[in-house]
Amino acid sequence: MIVVAGEALIDLVPQAGGGTPTPLLPARGGGPYNTAVALGRLGAKVSFCSRISTDAFGESLVERLSDENVDVGLVQRGPEPTTLAVASIGAGGSAAYSFYVEGTADRLFQVPDELPAATRALSFGTCSLVLEPGASAYEELMCREAGRGVFVALDPNVRTGLIPDAEAYRARFLSWLPHVCLLKLSEEDAQWLGPDVRGWLDAGPAAVVITHGGDGLTVFTRSGDERSVPGESVDVADTIGAGDTVNAALLHALSERDLLTRDALVDLPGQDWDEVLRFAARAAALTCSKPGAEPPYAAEL
């Protein structure tokens, strides 16, 4: 089982051709939530670990998880409101967000006593590692499970509007790396965080995957290997959820090859990395071809 830990929220997305002011349509999202849904669609055994509101938005979020074959046994519930993210779509379909997060349910996440015995990997990222007190709880879960030998994946998915102290966040990011096996991040996030790929690898991860939008993906490994694959050409509706799909596709492809260990990633031959990266590039391209965070099903790949 792959456990995805982090926030679930509602994206308010502008409706194309909707006039002025532009109507906003609610869409279920959040980086970890999208990753869990993408894993479910790819056929992975996946569980979502979070705190979700009991309001109407929260009920809809949980319902979709169940519909997408995502286990919800680790989902905590509370009466607090659901986090809202207002999206704006720029040139080329890129999305930017502003957030409404005060007093919302996902900030009150508490560390579960234990994860399912079948847990092989644990994925973290995005707002959940920024907003307290939940961020410290997710961090505690990361450290505890890494200490038990669970494969940890991290996609920072930086949302600068939620980070009051950039240098403090960068220092905290570095403190996570000894616990991380696979670090995935966008080119923009890498630039904002440093970049220092070799330093990150020396700190802990066996591999760092950087996405370059339509130009594809690159992996850097602790053994010194560097491999890149191009992106796949599609008519882009928007890029919402593309990075989350990459995250899910990487985890699924590695799981299918029984490679969810730090040592396995260190020793993985370059041609195998090429196959994994191409799979992730195809999955992301299909996500970009549809409006909203709609990752592909296994049959589409």
Side-chain angles (χ1 to χ4, degrees):
M1 175 179 287
I2 298 171
V3 175
V4 182
E7 79 280 354
L9 53 78
I10 294 295
D11 288 323
L12 297 175
V13 183
Q15 183 179 6
T20 304
T22 304
L24 299 173
L25 296 178
R28 293 164 288 196
Y33 184 86
N34 293 338
T35 297
V37 169
L39 280 163
R41 289 189 174 188
L42 291 173
K45 186 176 182 182
V46 55
S47 181
F48 190 56
C49 182
S50 184
R51 181 180 172 90
I52 296 179
S53 176
T54 54
D55 65 14
F57 283 142
E59 291 297 326
S60 179
L61 287 162
V62 173
E63 180 182 8
R64 186 188 187 194
L65 289 171
S66 296
D67 290 345
E68 301 288 5
N69 297 313
V70 178
D71 180 82
V72 295
L74 293 170
V75 172
Q76 304 161 21
R77 304 299 300 274
E80 308 81 20
T82 298
T83 296
L84 302 178
V86 180
S88 58
I89 309 301
S94 60
Y97 298 90
S98 58
F99 294 89
Y100 296 83
V101 299
E102 291 303 318
T104 52
D106 50 31
R107 298 187 69 163
L108 300 181
F109 170 79
Q110 296 181 338
V111 181
D113 291 336
E114 60 183 7
L115 298 183
T119 302
R120 298 185 61 209
L122 184 56
S123 175
F124 294 92
T126 320
C127 311
S128 53
L129 290 172
V130 176
L131 299 171
E132 295 291 2
S136 291
Y138 285 111
E139 184 176 80
E140 181 182 341
L141 179 63
M142 177 193 297
C143 297
R144 186 188 79 186
E145 296 303 312
R148 294 179 53 246
V150 173
F151 183 99
V152 172
L154 173 64
D155 177 9
N157 205 2
V158 176
R159 300 293 185 234
T160 57
L162 292 175
I163 299 174
D165 186 335
E167 289 310 309
Y169 177 86
R170 291 182 179 110
R172 195 172 191 180
F173 163 75
L174 293 176
S175 77
W176 298 327
L177 296 184
H179 310 288
V180 173
C181 300
L182 174 65
L183 174 64
K184 174 264 164 188
L185 65 174
S186 69
E187 194 171 34
E188 294 78 11
D189 286 349
Q191 290 296 327
W192 188 87
L193 287 165
D196 182 16
V197 173
R198 179 47 54 187
W200 298 338
L201 288 165
D202 290 342
V208 175
V209 174
I210 296 180
T211 62
H212 309 289
D215 293 328
L217 302 88
T218 300
V219 64
F220 303 86
T221 70
R222 189 184 291 181
S223 60
D225 199 8
E226 177 181 339
R227 310 285 292 199
S228 295
V229 301
E232 297 211 359
S233 180
V234 293
D235 292 329
V236 175
D238 60 49
T239 64
I240 296 174
D244 308 323
T245 298
V246 168
N247 198 35
L250 291 172
L251 287 169
H252 181 62
L254 293 172
S255 176
E256 289 290 283
R257 291 164 173 79
D258 197 24
L259 295 171
L260 290 178
T261 69
R262 190 188 302 270
D263 289 344
L265 289 197
V266 169
D267 297 331
L268 188 63
Q271 61 268 27
D272 292 332
W273 270 118
D274 292 346
E275 292 179 5
V276 170
L277 295 179
R278 289 192 187 101
F279 179 77
R282 288 197 302 274
L286 285 171
T287 300
C288 291
S289 70
K290 308 169 188 175
E294 291 294 339
Y297 293 92
E300 297 178 77
L301 290 164

